[in-house]
């Protein structure tokens, strides 16, 4: 048995437990916890049964299992970056709105400066 076949399942279990604790403390949503748990379960399964990735690869028309895993990781990374972009964009819009409201509330007129 290869070393990664032992290390990745252990890392997967630790990651799932960590996400479960974060969910119980209210730091993660249920959806996020489930999504990451599924990801880490898939990592553990592919590390324990590496030939299984070949079967999945052939089902989607890819020749090698490693290519399938790399494409899957790129899809996950693209989704994560896109989601983070939308979150940052929304935060930036919210911040601009708040700054405009504060500026309007604290507006200094010329009459105020003369007194």
């Amino acid at each position: 048995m290869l070393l990664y076949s032992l290390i990745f399942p252990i890392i997967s279990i630790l990651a799932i437990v960590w996400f479960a604790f974060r969910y119980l403390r209210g730091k993660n949503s249920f959806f996020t916890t489930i999504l990451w748990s599924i990801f880490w379960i898939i990592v553990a399964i592919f590390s324990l049964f590496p030939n299984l990735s070949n079967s999945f690869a052939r089902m989607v028309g890819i020749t090698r299992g490693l290519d399938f895993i790399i494409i899957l990781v790129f899809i996950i990374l693209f989704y994560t970056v896109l989601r983070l972009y939308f979150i940052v964009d929304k935060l930036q819009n919210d911040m601009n709105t708040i700054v405009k409201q504060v500026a309007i509330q604290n507006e200094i007129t010329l009459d105020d400066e003369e007194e």
Side-chain angles (χ1 to χ4, degrees):
M1 186 172 256
L2 298 174
L3 185 62
Y4 74 87
S5 296
L6 296 173
I7 292 175
F8 281 126
I10 293 170
I11 292 172
S12 297
I13 290 170
L14 292 174
I16 291 170
V17 169
W18 183 67
F19 273 103
F21 279 128
R22 285 183 56 87
Y23 171 71
L24 293 175
R25 284 188 254 138
K27 294 186 177 187
N28 282 354
S29 68
F30 181 72
F31 177 74
T32 302
T33 304
I34 294 298
L35 189 67
W36 279 107
S37 296
I38 290 170
F39 171 76
W40 285 109
I41 289 170
I42 291 171
V43 167
I45 289 172
F46 282 156
S47 65
L48 290 172
F49 308 105
N51 291 333
L52 190 61
S53 64
N54 291 330
S55 301
F56 280 105
R58 276 187 243 113
M59 284 190 326
V60 294
I62 300 171
T63 55
R64 295 187 311 169
L66 183 60
D67 293 342
F68 171 73
I69 292 173
I70 291 171
I71 291 169
L72 189 65
V73 167
F74 274 123
I75 290 170
I76 291 169
L77 287 174
F78 179 74
Y79 170 76
T80 305
V81 168
L82 191 63
R83 188 169 169 194
L84 287 173
Y85 171 77
F86 287 132
I87 290 170
V88 168
D89 191 44
K90 183 183 180 312
L91 286 173
Q92 187 176 14
N93 287 336
D94 292 346
M95 187 172 62
N96 286 340
T97 302
I98 291 171
V99 167
K100 287 176 186 176
Q101 289 174 350
V102 169
I104 289 171
Q105 289 174 355
N106 296 330
E107 180 182 9
I108 299 175
T109 62
L110 293 175
D111 296 334
D112 292 340
E113 290 179 5
E114 291 176 0
E115 293 177 7

